[in-house]
Amino acid sequence: MKAVKAFKYRIYPNKGQEQKLLWTLEQCRFLYNCAEQRIRAYKSQGVSIGYHEQAVSLPEVKKALPELKQIHSQVLQDTLKRLDKAYSAFC
């Protein structure tokens, strides 16, 4: 088995960077909570929504919530992947 190397880096952001990081984290938290449309869809229609369906709808979400346009799309996709992983672990 091949050994996996891991690195840990400590960052020291200035006040402006810290504010931006906290703002981005808050937006990702909001997206994570809003993406729980899976629960409503399953309870009301018996339809299962996965990562792909939600990732495809991200451009529409960005139109509805313009502040998300300031966050790189891969960060938002990663938020949805973490949600999908949480749901997969639960089931």
Side-chain angles (χ1 to χ4, degrees):
M1 189 162 129
K2 188 176 180 178
V4 177
K5 229 180 224 188
F7 296 94
K8 242 185 207 184
Y9 295 97
R10 174 115 169 111
I11 61 172
Y12 299 95
N14 62 33
K15 289 290 182 187
Q17 293 168 331
E18 185 177 0
Q19 290 288 328
K20 183 68 173 176
L21 287 169
L22 291 173
W23 180 85
T24 302
L25 182 62
E26 180 66 21
Q27 297 305 313
C28 288
R29 182 198 61 80
F30 180 74
L31 176 65
Y32 187 98
N33 289 335
C34 286
E36 290 186 348
Q37 65 187 353
R38 296 174 176 218
I39 295 172
R40 290 187 299 276
Y42 187 76
K43 285 183 178 178
S44 65
Q45 303 165 356
V47 177
S48 180
I49 298 175
Y51 163 76
H52 182 71
E53 290 87 2
Q54 288 185 314
V56 168
S57 70
L58 268 178
E60 295 171 24
V61 173
K62 282 184 170 183
K63 286 180 186 174
L65 302 168
E67 58 272 8
L68 292 181
K69 291 181 182 178
Q70 297 177 32
I71 302 173
H72 196 280
S73 59
Q74 289 178 336
V75 174
L76 299 175
Q77 291 167 4
D78 186 56
T79 300
L80 295 177
K81 284 180 185 176
R82 281 185 275 124
L83 177 68
D84 191 56
K85 186 177 177 181
Y87 274 89
S88 296
F90 180 73
C91 295

